[in-house]
Amino acid sequence: MWLIARRSFAQDWARLTATMLAVLFSVGLMSGALQFALRAEAAVSGSDASEYARVDVLVQPRGADPDDVFSVPQGEVRPGAIASVPGVAAVAGDAAVPVTIVGAHGRPVTPPAGAGTALRPWIPDARLSAYHLVSGRAPAADDEVAVVRHVASAGGLHAGSATTLLLPNSTQRVRVVGVVTVRGRGAVASGDLILGTPTAVHRAAGLRPGTWQGLWVKAAPGVTAAALRARLVPVMRPDVVRKASDVRHRQSAELQGAGASVGGAIGMLASVAVFTGLFVVANAFGTLVRQRTRRLALLSAIGARPRQIKRLVRFEALVLGVVASAGGLVAGYGVSEILTRLFAQDGFDISAGEVQVGWVALVFPFAAGVVTTQLAAWRPARRAARIAPIEALRSSTAEGRGRIWPRLVGALAIFGASWMFFGPVFAVANDKTEVGIDRTIGIVVLILMGSMVCVSGLAVLAPFFVGPLGGLVGRLGMLVSGESGRLARATITRSPRRVSSAAASLMLGVALVAATGLLITSVHQRGAEAGAQTLAADHVIATNGRTSDGAAPLPGDTAARVARVPGVTAAVALTRTEVELVSPKMKIADEVPGPPVFLNVTGASDVRPVLRFGGHLPALRPGEIGVASPLVTAYHLWPGRRIVVHGARGNVTLTVAGRYHDPSHVFADQALVAPATMAMLDPGATTSAVLVRGTAPTRALAAAVADVPVARVYEPAAYVRVAVASMEKGLRVVYGFIGMSLVISLFGMATTMSLSVFERTREFGMLGAVGTTVRQIRSIVRWEAATVVLLGVLLGMATAVGTVALLHVATGSSYIRVHLPWWLLAVVVGGAGAVTWATSALPARRAAGVPVLEAAKAE
């Protein structure tokens, strides 16, 4: 068996190259996805990289949320007599101001792994400070800052660089005078740090003299943190006194959970690559077994047992899997770097994490690649073992009709298995605790996974479609090419499995591209319509950069500046924050509390001059909230009801003033409050955009925000396009995975086409011997390729349209609807035709050049 396998590889290595590359890319996607997940976890789970690394006790104002260790404490604490408490060695005041720093490239510096950026005071006391200068010096003037190493590397900054800070209420030009690390890391658990003088940070936080947002306390030698906390509790009551180690451990646990969630999402996308690789390898080995029918039958005739023939096929798959998996591990590092860059563009930067080279990052993808090829070769190996010796007397191109019922039963079983994903869609769709984009994303993921399974079922049924379509193409070929068309029709209808194998790979590629294209065009078209329907402003001022929370914020005084420009009649700032709905409590069932509900709240003054909302929403007064229509039904937030939400400064009681509808889902998707109410919820809420009404020219508006490097003045249509694009956060990664999966499927198609031509070496040689011209032989191959295109496009487009239609029904979203533009259909059909022609051109030339003597000795 070893000698036979070696000979098979020596003869077929050129035709197996494309299959090997397909497996290599598939393993590369798996390896790259795992690399990215491990790197993301390393980037977000720096438990020892905390600014509290040398702190024993933290004192925070009353109302501080113990469940949110990354929130900025709101309120003030006074050091008072804390320094005189026995056991206190050092005390330092702390404050954190959300800030965005502009890099040397003119764009905001994205904090690592979806965290934030904060302006904090430089702590000079070495007993408390974990900041280690790696270059430069500590800030000494109010316009000087030190930055963590991640900010310096990501923003192209160094000691001596001048840059801009975007504070909640203003902009400030500063000079970077130092670069620091924390416990050897370039960022801390909460994100990036900008360190300024205590005076500058105190002023930026808006604190009263002698107060801070928190206190760092160091215990004296011999005093434990627990003992010091016990001494401080009665002195600082009602303020919150915590052990710093508890905060650090809580940060570590939350970040590790975030890393695991990211890894799970990437793993789900990588499953597309696994599925595609399995699909391609199964097709390739199925074609190889069919091509070697006579050889395997001869082995059976001379005494080879079915078990030995199974081993032969599986051994070939093993060698292919080992070689391809080894190459895939190398390719995985490149895939991981591509994923890192794509995620960074969407505001999730994990460049602070080190490249992973542990055994998990290497062994798991390698084993997965080998197992994938073995699974793909399982069915071809069983079919090879069942080849009877009598098959040695038949032509390798002859194909029996086969039994219909096993194929139908197999397809029905696969369709039934797809309900493992389709079934939970109903539960997610009826889950009243999930409203908005999270619910939609969950449904989309489940339906896409189920559709991938259905593709396998269609591939099983594909041979049944070859006869009618092949007859149609053959008749057309007879009209155009005469005798060549008749021969093409005969070869197509005689070997439906061969044609369906090539069409299956094309079907997968068409389904991936068409479904993605349908979703994108639907979102863009509906977004443009809804944006034009909602936005009544003449200009919009927003930033052109992104952070982990979306678009980079504007300074809070932007609206006031713009309002002073001659010709401006209204300048409405949109501020954003997130609050937790405390009351009414959501319940999954009677007496069973549901998960916490968070609301995205938009703060704005009178929006009627700049926005056109549906519903009935009166002018909002302090203490009132307007709620989007879907939330009114889901959470029973009827007008007139009093609710309690938890914001940055604790619980706030609000009254639902009315319901409205934002068809664009961009400006105020869930809730709307007046500026005075937003100040109660979150005084540091960021400004996302300023909507301007009036006749002021664009140049004058741009001059008003000229000191904000990332601010841009948009026309309404242009801003709508930017806002809708922001809704596609994360889709760049999806596009990347789909593109790579498409490459894999094309390699599979190229392999199948090449093997199908080689399979008919004897047939083409005999045709040449009886007078068929080179042009006619090429025409036969191309008409067969036309059948492949027709079958692949029809099944692929049907899958894509069915998937999007199911998404529309399940989500109920107006942004997802079946709208097939003519240009998308033309692109898909034209692309499929071009790919098929390219993959069949070389096989057609080879088929036309088969010598008669070679055909005579072929299998």
Side-chain angles (χ1 to χ4, degrees):
M1 288 296 109
W2 159 248
L3 293 177
I4 295 171
R6 188 175 67 176
R7 180 183 177 188
S8 298
F9 268 106
Q11 292 178 345
D12 298 330
W13 70 267
R15 286 174 291 279
L16 286 173
T17 299
T19 303
M20 187 176 298
L21 289 174
V23 178
L24 187 149
F25 273 104
S26 182
V27 175
L29 280 179
M30 288 187 287
S31 175
L34 180 62
Q35 281 281 345
F36 179 88
L38 294 174
R39 190 174 179 182
E41 188 172 0
V44 302
S45 62
S47 58
D48 58 343
S50 172
E51 61 269 43
Y52 309 127
R54 295 183 179 176
V55 182
D56 293 317
V57 175
L58 291 173
V59 180
Q60 295 177 330
R62 59 180 176 177
D65 189 354
D67 296 325
D68 189 357
V69 292
F70 295 117
S71 64
V72 176
Q74 299 294 327
E76 300 170 341
V77 295
R78 294 181 178 274
I82 192 172
S84 61
V85 174
V88 174
V91 181
D94 178 43
V97 181
V99 68
T100 300
I101 184 170
V102 180
H105 41 56
R107 297 186 300 274
V109 178
T110 303
T117 303
L119 176 65
R120 307 288 286 267
W122 174 268
I123 307 296
D125 194 331
R127 292 172 295 179
L128 288 167
S129 176
Y131 307 136
H132 173 68
L133 282 165
V134 293
S135 66
R137 58 176 176 83
D142 288 351
D143 63 345
E144 294 179 346
V145 296
V147 299
V148 290
R149 186 171 59 196
H150 178 263
V151 171
S153 60
L157 302 173
H158 53 82
S161 298
T163 186
T164 301
L165 297 182
L166 305 181
L167 297 166
N169 296 314
S170 62
T171 60
Q172 182 181 358
R173 289 291 294 178
V174 295
R175 182 173 297 277
V176 178
V177 296
V179 178
V180 304
T181 58
V182 180
R183 305 289 294 231
R185 295 180 180 267
V188 297
S190 57
D192 282 334
L193 296 180
I194 313 298
L195 304 173
T197 62
T199 303
V201 176
H202 192 278
R203 183 173 58 252
L207 299 171
R208 291 180 295 178
T211 63
W212 290 97
Q213 290 177 347
L215 300 175
W216 295 5
V217 185
K218 183 68 177 179
V223 179
T224 64
L228 182 58
R229 178 186 178 277
R231 297 176 186 179
L232 290 176
V233 166
V235 176
M236 300 305 299
R237 186 178 288 118
D239 294 325
V240 178
V241 182
R242 305 179 185 176
K243 290 196 300 180
S245 59
D246 293 341
V247 176
R248 294 196 299 268
H249 295 158
R250 189 65 178 269
Q251 288 178 337
S252 175
E254 290 195 13
L255 291 174
Q256 288 180 358
S261 298
V262 172
I266 293 298
M268 188 167 293
L269 286 174
S271 64
V272 178
V274 177
F275 172 80
T276 308
L278 192 68
F279 205 86
V280 166
V281 177
N283 266 342
F285 273 94
T287 305
L288 279 174
V289 168
R290 189 173 62 250
Q291 172 191 319
R292 297 174 184 171
T293 298
R294 295 184 68 204
R295 184 188 305 177
L296 296 174
L298 286 173
L299 289 176
S300 298
I302 61 175
R305 297 187 298 274
R307 187 175 180 182
Q308 290 177 309
I309 295 178
K310 286 182 183 179
R311 286 179 180 176
L312 174 64
V313 177
R314 288 174 180 170
F315 179 74
E316 292 179 357
L318 177 64
V319 175
L320 181 71
V322 168
V323 176
S325 298
L329 290 179
V330 178
Y333 288 95
V335 172
S336 175
E337 187 61 30
I338 293 174
L339 290 175
T340 300
R341 293 180 181 273
L342 291 175
F343 262 85
Q345 293 177 11
D346 280 333
F348 191 89
D349 184 10
I350 64 162
S351 58
E354 301 294 333
V355 175
Q356 302 296 303
V357 292
W359 69 271
V360 175
L362 298 177
V363 174
F364 180 79
F366 183 87
V370 174
V371 171
T372 297
T373 53
Q374 286 296 302
L375 289 175
W378 178 78
R379 186 171 180 273
R382 285 176 56 87
R383 191 165 66 237
R386 292 198 300 264
I387 295 176
I390 193 64
E391 295 290 332
L393 302 178
R394 298 181 181 177
S395 170
S396 63
T397 60
E399 190 175 296
R401 292 178 57 87
R403 292 181 298 172
I404 297 177
W405 285 110
R407 189 173 291 274
L408 289 175
V409 171
L412 290 175
I414 294 174
F415 290 138
S418 67
W419 281 89
M420 292 189 301
F421 301 103
F422 290 143
V425 168
F426 297 98
V428 176
N430 295 315
D431 185 1
K432 295 183 178 180
T433 62
E434 288 289 347
V435 177
I437 189 66
D438 292 335
R439 170 179 168 274
T440 301
I441 289 176
I443 293 174
V444 167
V445 169
L446 287 172
I447 290 179
L448 288 179
M449 298 293 288
S451 297
M452 281 200 307
V453 177
C454 288
V455 167
S456 298
L458 288 176
V460 173
L461 296 177
F464 296 145
F465 302 104
V466 172
L469 291 178
L472 178 63
V473 173
R475 289 187 178 89
L476 180 61
M478 291 171 63
L479 293 175
V480 176
S481 303
E483 186 63 21
S484 299
R486 189 185 66 81
L487 292 173
R489 179 185 177 187
T491 58
I492 292 168
T493 56
R494 188 175 70 243
S495 303
R497 280 190 297 176
R498 182 180 64 233
V499 176
S500 62
S501 295
S505 296
L506 181 62
M507 173 187 64
L508 178 60
V510 169
L512 288 171
V513 172
T516 306
L518 285 172
L519 284 174
I520 294 172
T521 55
S522 176
V523 170
H524 284 181
Q525 183 181 22
R526 175 55 186 161
E529 294 173 357
Q533 174 186 348
T534 306
L535 185 58
D538 298 305
H539 298 89
V540 179
I541 298 176
T543 61
N544 65 343
R546 297 188 64 83
T547 65
S548 57
D549 295 326
L554 289 167
D557 61 349
T558 304
R561 297 190 204 179
V562 173
R564 294 191 291 267
V565 176
V568 173
T569 58
V572 180
L574 302 181
T575 56
R576 301 284 172 84
T577 191
E578 186 179 70
V579 300
E580 181 182 354
L581 182 63
V582 177
S583 176
K585 281 285 188 182
M586 294 297 103
K587 295 182 179 180
I588 300 177
D590 293 341
E591 307 302 327
V592 179
V597 174
F598 294 92
L599 304 179
N600 293 317
V601 181
T602 301
S605 56
D606 188 6
V607 298
R608 286 174 292 183
V610 292
L611 292 172
R612 293 183 287 262
F613 287 155
H616 303 282
L617 184 65
L620 296 173
R621 295 175 296 182
E624 293 183 337
I625 184 172
V627 181
S629 298
L631 275 70
V632 171
T633 305
Y635 303 145
H636 308 295
L637 305 180
W638 308 109
R641 181 167 188 175
R642 296 176 69 83
I643 66 173
V644 179
V645 299
H646 185 82
R649 286 194 169 180
N651 291 346
V652 178
T653 301
L654 302 174
T655 302
V656 179
R659 60 195 299 173
Y660 70 94
H661 177 56
D662 176 9
S664 67
H665 300 284
V666 168
F667 302 101
D669 187 32
Q670 293 190 335
L672 185 67
V673 297
T677 309
M678 179 62 77
M680 293 189 294
L681 297 175
D682 186 0
T686 58
T687 301
S688 60
V690 175
L691 310 183
V692 183
R693 188 74 183 270
T695 59
T698 302
R699 183 176 301 176
L701 296 174
V705 293
D707 62 334
V708 183
V710 294
R712 295 290 183 271
V713 180
Y714 293 95
E715 297 299 320
Y719 178 74
V720 168
R721 288 194 296 269
V722 172
V724 172
S726 68
M727 298 172 63
E728 301 173 2
K729 183 178 180 180
L731 282 184
R732 288 186 179 91
V733 181
V734 178
Y735 298 159
F737 271 100
I738 288 176
M740 295 177 189
S741 299
L742 181 61
V743 170
I744 295 173
S745 64
L746 294 181
F747 273 117
M749 182 177 173
T751 301
T752 307
M753 291 293 292
S754 177
L755 289 174
S756 68
V757 172
F758 180 79
E759 180 184 357
R760 291 177 289 166
T761 298
R762 182 185 184 91
E763 177 184 334
F764 288 130
M766 292 299 103
L767 287 175
V770 298
T772 306
T773 65
V774 171
R775 184 177 181 180
Q776 287 176 319
I777 294 177
R778 291 183 181 178
S779 179
I780 293 171
V781 176
R782 286 170 181 166
W783 281 114
E784 183 174 329
T787 307
V788 170
V789 171
L790 185 60
L791 181 59
V793 169
L794 287 177
L795 294 180
M797 290 300 297
T799 302
V801 172
T803 299
V804 176
L806 189 57
L807 286 173
H808 173 70
V809 172
T811 62
S813 173
S814 61
Y815 276 77
I816 301 177
R817 52 188 180 180
V818 180
H819 173 70
L820 183 59
W822 66 268
W823 60 265
L824 178 61
L825 182 60
V827 168
V828 170
V829 174
V835 167
T836 307
W837 180 85
T839 56
S840 62
L842 184 59
R845 291 186 59 186
R846 187 188 183 283
V850 173
V852 176
L853 291 179
E854 182 179 339
K857 68 178 182 180
E859 287 188 304

